[in-house]
Amino acid sequence: MAVTPDTATVRIEDGAGRQSADIAIAADAHALSDQLKAMRERLFPPTAQKTLRAFSSGEAARLIGVSDGYLRQLSLAGEGPQPETGNGGRRFYSLADIGALRRYLADQALAKGNTSKARIYLPWRDEAAGEHLQVISVTNFKGGSGKTTSAVHLAQYLALTGHRVLAIDLDPQASLSAMFGYQPELDLSGNDTLYGAIRYDGEPRRLSEIVRSTYFPGLDLVPGNLELQEFEHATPQALLRRQEGHDIGPLFFARIQAALTDVAKDYDVVVIDCPPQLGYLTLSALCASTSVLVTVHPQMLDVASMNQFLFMTADLLGVVREAGGELNFDFLRYLVTRFEPNDGPQAQIVGFMRSLFGGRVLTAPMVKSTAISDAGLTKQTLYEVGRENFTRTTYDRAMESMNAVNAEIEALVHAAWGREKRG
Ligand SMILES: Nc1ncnc2c1ncn2[C@@H]1O[C@H](COP(=O)(O)OP(=O)(O)OP(=O)(O)O)[C@@H](O)[C@H]1O
Ligand SMILES: [Mg+2]
């Protein structure tokens, strides 16, 4: 590579001779983008959308919290939504059917005056009773600490257990959006991410116009892509303009919260997948949050990096508080990820964290499992892949661990609403 002083162009030397670097890189980007498009069209033809599998009646019963026998009884009596019947009379329900069953059972319980039972079948929050929207940020600036994996499984678990969930992809790398079948560079255009609702210039869009429904009933998505990164550049400029006396609207830390008010009434829980950096986006997400999950992979380097993260977060949130930002979390929990129980040093680090932070470390760790990483290869979660695709013990162990983590978080959400533990 050489810079010619007279023209100030950067040139790249390759077999075909010299080329200006911007043109060469742009050519590579175009070539790659064409190939990605072609690959994607082979893998996901435009007509083939991601779909969700059906659930066996046993799974449906467990999700709703009734016995399989009771569901069979309902189906024999022709009451409520009816299952599909497969080979050997096996009954299957779609997640939409499971949602309809919840409503059916909740209505029946209400007719008998049993409100607490109705709420177990259909756990939607009651705004009038002061049950506020839960906004949970999944964060840590350590790359690969399991933020996206935890966020997507939590969002799906909450939808499977009957909550109305909004997942927000706040990472310009858009891994969460990819899990929902989006190729952000191809499927989205300008202002299709949260940035569209929090930008300083132009007309910000309403968040309700940006939210997309997904193939997962009860779970909506605000996708992400590279444009989110603009918030990191635009914020310092906006702060300067404000110093010059211009009105810039809410300060950066209040902008995500302000955007959320547009859709709050439609959801019980918002799950935000934060980028692996402590910038304005993450700070704004933290300030919009009622609760925080810090994902930690229990290795010494990761824990040391988390230490830095905690110091910086505390400092920055202190600055935000002095500037008038309100910060009160219902809960902050450390979530141990990719845990290998037979690894001595890892177990030691988890023990060390528990002795330091006590109950702020979730009791259930998320174990490392090939079921999760393998499902991830085809952009699927553990809840999407069927048990038949794995060795049973592998699948069951991963599912047990994942459900234990998410049930613990669900209980914290319900506790924040002043509800008792789910039975
Ligand atoms: N419990 C687990 N078992 C096995 N693999 C896992 C597990 N959790 C996460 N992984 C894998 O680890 C990798 C990193 O996880 P993930 O993308 O969730 O981290 P992240 O914190 O979101 O990363 P980034 O900082 O880049 O956003 C992924 O390939 C994921 O499939
Ligand atoms: Mg991620």
Side-chain angles (χ1 to χ4, degrees), residues 144 146-149 171 173 175-176 273-276:
K147 294 178 289 295
T148 302
T149 306
D171 186 350
Q173 296 174 84
S175 333
L176 182 77
D273 183 26
C274 290

Side-chain angles (χ1 to χ4, degrees), residues 52-66 71 74 80-84 91-106 120-124 156-163 216-218 383 422:
L52 186 58
R53 69 183 173 94
F55 293 84
S56 72
S57 61
E59 286 178 304
R62 267 195 304 283
L63 286 170
I64 300 171
V66 292
L71 285 191
L74 284 179
Q82 294 303 304
E84 295 279 325
R91 289 163 299 124
F92 289 93
Y93 293 89
S94 70
L95 187 55
D97 289 339
I98 294 176
L101 267 171
R102 286 182 184 285
R103 269 189 297 280
Y104 174 78
L105 293 169
I120 289 175
Y121 291 137
L122 197 66
W124 292 7
Q156 292 189 351
Y157 172 93
L158 288 170
L160 286 168
T161 49
H163 302 81
F216 218 101
Y383 295 124
R422 199 178 165 192

Side-chain angles (χ1 to χ4, degrees), residues 67-361:
S67 71
D68 191 11
Y70 184 49
L71 285 191
R72 171 183 291 273
Q73 211 179 306
L74 284 179
S75 115
L76 287 177
E79 290 176 30
Q82 294 303 304
E84 295 279 325
T85 316
N87 287 347
R90 291 186 64 194
R91 289 163 299 124
F92 289 93
Y93 293 89
S94 70
L95 187 55
D97 289 339
I98 294 176
L101 267 171
R102 286 182 184 285
R103 269 189 297 280
Y104 174 78
L105 293 169
D107 284 346
Q108 293 225 314
L110 279 180
K112 290 182 193 145
N114 195 340
T115 43
S116 59
K117 196 155 195 189
R119 208 156 59 177
I120 289 175
Y121 291 137
L122 197 66
W124 292 7
R125 72 190 173 94
D126 181 357
E127 181 79 52
E131 295 181 343
H132 55 275
L133 178 71
Q134 273 290 312
V135 182
I136 306 177
S137 279
V138 184
T139 187
N140 193 338
F141 67 11
K142 177 75 191 172
S145 62
K147 294 178 289 295
T148 302
T149 306
S150 306
V152 71
H153 283 90
L154 174 63
Q156 292 189 351
Y157 172 93
L158 288 170
L160 286 168
T161 49
H163 302 81
R164 298 165 300 167
V165 184
L166 176 64
I168 300 184
D169 193 350
L170 202 61
D171 186 350
Q173 296 174 84
S175 333
L176 182 77
S177 311
M179 291 297 285
F180 283 101
Y182 284 97
Q183 287 222 336
E185 67 279 19
L186 305 173
D187 297 333
L188 305 179
S189 54
N191 295 325
D192 277 346
T193 73
L194 186 66
Y195 184 65
I198 61 174
R199 61 184 306 148
Y200 299 92
D201 56 333
E203 273 293 295
R205 289 179 76 188
R206 296 179 61 152
L207 189 55
S208 50
E209 291 170 17
I210 300 175
V211 167
R212 297 170 182 230
S213 49
T214 69
Y215 57 90
F216 218 101
L219 175 48
D220 292 345
L221 174 73
V222 174
N225 74 3
L226 265 182
E227 80 173 4
L228 282 163
Q229 193 63 28
E230 285 178 36
F231 192 65
E232 305 296 342
H233 309 300
T235 296
Q237 290 168 5
L239 288 173
L240 274 178
R241 282 208 308 282
R242 183 168 177 268
Q243 271 177 2
E244 291 160 3
H246 298 281
D247 178 16
I248 60 162
L251 283 174
F252 71 89
F253 53 78
R255 293 185 92 83
I256 292 183
Q257 188 166 29
L260 280 175
T261 55
D262 191 38
V263 297
K265 65 172 191 335
D266 301 328
Y267 300 100
D268 302 308
V269 185
V270 177
V271 178
I272 307 182
D273 183 26
C274 290
Q277 67 189 50
L278 194 48
Y280 294 114
L281 281 172
T282 302
L283 280 175
S284 194
L286 289 175
C287 292
S289 296
T290 55
S291 302
V292 176
L293 291 170
V294 180
T295 50
V296 200
H297 178 51
Q299 275 186 349
M300 212 52 222
L301 279 177
D302 299 51
V303 170
S305 148
M306 181 183 76
N307 193 5
Q308 294 299 309
F309 172 76
L310 294 178
F311 272 127
M312 282 176 64
T313 309
D315 272 0
L316 291 168
L317 291 182
V319 174
V320 166
R321 182 161 47 79
E322 276 162 26
E326 179 87 25
L327 281 170
N328 282 311
F329 295 141
D330 289 328
F331 62 87
L332 180 149
R333 289 292 183 279
Y334 299 97
L335 163 56
V336 174
T337 59
R338 265 185 293 137
F339 180 49
E340 293 163 278
N342 296 326
D343 180 319
Q346 281 200 20
Q348 263 183 352
I349 289 177
V350 172
F352 166 70
M353 282 175 54
R354 290 197 195 282
S355 68
L356 267 181
F357 302 139
R360 287 205 307 287
V361 182

